[in-house]
Amino acid sequence: GADAKRMLGRTPGTIEALRPMKDGVIADFEISEAMLRYFIEKVDKRKLVPPRVVIAVPSGITAVEKRAVKDSAIKAGAREVLLLGEPMAASIGAGLPIDEEYANMIVDIGGGTTEVAIISISGVSYQRSIRVGGDELDEAIIAYMKRAYGLLIGERTAEEIKFNVGSASAIDTGELSMDVRGRDATAGLPKTIHITSQEIREEALKEVVSQIVDLVKNALDRCQPEHSADLIDRGIVLAGGGALIPALWQTVCKLQCDSCFSKTGKHGSL
């Protein structure tokens, strides 16, 4: 998808860049089926036996959405489809000891959804998800640039702003800044402005980041006291592209320390 992503906002009139997956679920069935067929053929070129496919899905999707994912994969050439929750898939990928009796907490911040789960003994003891992720952060930046500066920017530019100067809290090494180029909404001409990480954090990203932080806070408040004790030693694992936002781990770490202290009387570290 990296090659296709570079085409967003820059395609000629004869080409359209599509996103068949939106908010973690299928938005375009035909394109999703074609994409899955391409992946299956790329892995199994001999086509002797149709492969079994494991697909990671958000924990909050409905039964109808699960059926749509299975049907698309089967039509694309899979003989069997197994659905795996994204938090569990992220935990396995991160190498967490999910088969132990000790609790492991993971926060998976994807493009369309954010998942939080507490896993122990190969099972999920607590799991919640919200349809807020990197896409909403990009949209918030686009809306802010138009509202504050009358500057129109695309998804790619918004993502560059998010990762270059975006942050969840104050950056210890000092505030960052960058020049942003776009089109003036009034004059219709190219325009360049200078922005700082502080204004992006406080004016654009604050509301969306607060929803993610509240999700993590609720998980810490509702987890069992024994699990809180485990998290003091094991900490919280952040996964997904949204976890790359600067200073986000510091915000989550503070939540973990405050919650664990209220339940166990001891502070932990992330």
Side-chain angles (χ1 to χ4, degrees), residues 130 137 205-217 255:
I130 55 174
L137 293 170
L205 302 181
K206 184 177 181 179
E207 183 177 349
V208 180
V209 171
S210 296
Q211 297 182 54
I212 297 175
V213 171
D214 289 342
L215 180 69
V216 179
K217 184 176 183 297
L255 284 177

Tab-separated table of all heavy atoms in Angstrom, residues 130 137 205-217 255:
chain	number	residue	atom	x	y	z
A	130	ILE	N	-12.652	2.056	19.959
A	130	ILE	CA	-13.382	3.212	19.459
A	130	ILE	C	-12.934	3.466	18.026
A	130	ILE	O	-11.798	3.159	17.662
A	130	ILE	CB	-13.157	4.475	20.319
A	130	ILE	CG1	-11.657	4.779	20.445
A	130	ILE	CG2	-13.801	4.319	21.680
A	130	ILE	CD1	-11.368	6.079	21.161
A	137	LEU	N	-7.075	12.070	13.373
A	137	LEU	CA	-6.039	13.057	13.678
A	137	LEU	C	-5.691	13.874	12.434
A	137	LEU	O	-5.539	15.103	12.507
A	137	LEU	CB	-4.788	12.361	14.217
A	137	LEU	CG	-4.929	11.686	15.583
A	137	LEU	CD1	-3.692	10.841	15.883
A	137	LEU	CD2	-5.136	12.717	16.676
A	205	LEU	N	-5.108	18.613	17.728
A	205	LEU	CA	-5.104	17.216	18.125
A	205	LEU	C	-5.685	16.950	19.506
A	205	LEU	O	-5.959	15.800	19.848
A	205	LEU	CB	-3.667	16.669	18.096
A	205	LEU	CG	-2.923	16.761	16.760
A	205	LEU	CD1	-1.535	16.148	16.901
A	205	LEU	CD2	-3.706	16.061	15.661
A	206	LYS	N	-5.881	17.971	20.290
A	206	LYS	CA	-6.245	17.788	21.700
A	206	LYS	C	-7.512	16.957	21.871
A	206	LYS	O	-7.555	16.023	22.692
A	206	LYS	CB	-6.409	19.152	22.375
A	206	LYS	CG	-6.694	19.057	23.860
A	206	LYS	CD	-6.775	20.446	24.487
A	206	LYS	CE	-7.046	20.344	25.990
A	206	LYS	NZ	-7.104	21.698	26.612
A	207	GLU	N	-8.556	17.264	21.126
A	207	GLU	CA	-9.838	16.580	21.315
A	207	GLU	C	-9.751	15.104	20.946
A	207	GLU	O	-10.265	14.235	21.660
A	207	GLU	CB	-10.922	17.267	20.478
A	207	GLU	CG	-12.300	16.664	20.666
A	207	GLU	CD	-13.369	17.409	19.888
A	207	GLU	OE1	-13.074	18.514	19.370
A	207	GLU	OE2	-14.489	16.892	19.785
A	208	VAL	N	-9.090	14.803	19.818
A	208	VAL	CA	-8.991	13.410	19.379
A	208	VAL	C	-8.088	12.615	20.312
A	208	VAL	O	-8.410	11.480	20.693
A	208	VAL	CB	-8.465	13.336	17.933
A	208	VAL	CG1	-8.358	11.889	17.482
A	208	VAL	CG2	-9.372	14.117	16.993
A	209	VAL	N	-6.955	13.194	20.708
A	209	VAL	CA	-6.053	12.512	21.629
A	209	VAL	C	-6.745	12.251	22.963
A	209	VAL	O	-6.540	11.205	23.590
A	209	VAL	CB	-4.764	13.332	21.832
A	209	VAL	CG1	-3.919	12.749	22.964
A	209	VAL	CG2	-3.956	13.375	20.544
A	210	SER	N	-7.598	13.168	23.392
A	210	SER	CA	-8.326	12.988	24.659
A	210	SER	C	-9.214	11.754	24.611
A	210	SER	O	-9.354	11.046	25.621
A	210	SER	CB	-9.160	14.235	24.961
A	210	SER	OG	-8.337	15.357	25.177
A	211	GLN	N	-9.831	11.479	23.461
A	211	GLN	CA	-10.665	10.285	23.338
A	211	GLN	C	-9.826	9.014	23.489
A	211	GLN	O	-10.259	8.044	24.126
A	211	GLN	CB	-11.382	10.279	21.998
A	211	GLN	CG	-12.355	11.439	21.797
A	211	GLN	CD	-13.070	11.359	20.461
A	211	GLN	OE1	-13.676	10.364	20.117
A	211	GLN	NE2	-12.988	12.432	19.688
A	212	ILE	N	-8.630	9.011	22.906
A	212	ILE	CA	-7.748	7.849	23.029
A	212	ILE	C	-7.283	7.698	24.474
A	212	ILE	O	-7.264	6.585	25.027
A	212	ILE	CB	-6.544	7.994	22.084
A	212	ILE	CG1	-7.015	8.030	20.625
A	212	ILE	CG2	-5.544	6.863	22.289
A	212	ILE	CD1	-5.923	8.296	19.622
A	213	VAL	N	-6.915	8.802	25.098
A	213	VAL	CA	-6.455	8.763	26.488
A	213	VAL	C	-7.574	8.288	27.410
A	213	VAL	O	-7.344	7.490	28.329
A	213	VAL	CB	-5.938	10.146	26.912
A	213	VAL	CG1	-5.663	10.183	28.414
A	213	VAL	CG2	-4.673	10.496	26.153
A	214	ASP	N	-8.800	8.744	27.183
A	214	ASP	CA	-9.942	8.315	28.005
A	214	ASP	C	-10.182	6.820	27.868
A	214	ASP	O	-10.567	6.150	28.835
A	214	ASP	CB	-11.199	9.088	27.619
A	214	ASP	CG	-11.153	10.544	28.049
A	214	ASP	OD1	-10.329	10.864	28.933
A	214	ASP	OD2	-11.920	11.354	27.504
A	215	LEU	N	-9.988	6.286	26.658
A	215	LEU	CA	-10.154	4.849	26.446
A	215	LEU	C	-9.153	4.065	27.288
A	215	LEU	O	-9.509	3.062	27.928
A	215	LEU	CB	-9.977	4.517	24.962
A	215	LEU	CG	-10.116	3.041	24.564
A	215	LEU	CD1	-11.563	2.585	24.730
A	215	LEU	CD2	-9.652	2.823	23.130
A	216	VAL	N	-7.910	4.513	27.304
A	216	VAL	CA	-6.880	3.847	28.107
A	216	VAL	C	-7.178	4.012	29.593
A	216	VAL	O	-7.024	3.075	30.386
A	216	VAL	CB	-5.489	4.409	27.766
A	216	VAL	CG1	-4.413	3.744	28.618
A	216	VAL	CG2	-5.183	4.213	26.288
A	217	LYS	N	-7.625	5.186	29.975
A	217	LYS	CA	-7.924	5.449	31.387
A	217	LYS	C	-9.045	4.541	31.882
A	217	LYS	O	-8.972	3.984	32.986
A	217	LYS	CB	-8.301	6.910	31.572
A	217	LYS	CG	-8.548	7.321	33.012
A	217	LYS	CD	-8.815	8.808	33.116
A	217	LYS	CE	-8.977	9.228	34.571
A	217	LYS	NZ	-10.148	8.597	35.218
A	255	LEU	N	-0.984	8.086	33.021
A	255	LEU	CA	-2.257	7.440	33.348
A	255	LEU	C	-2.024	6.126	34.083
A	255	LEU	O	-2.677	5.817	35.071
A	255	LEU	CB	-3.063	7.170	32.075
A	255	LEU	CG	-3.758	8.354	31.421
A	255	LEU	CD1	-4.430	7.883	30.143
A	255	LEU	CD2	-4.770	8.972	32.349
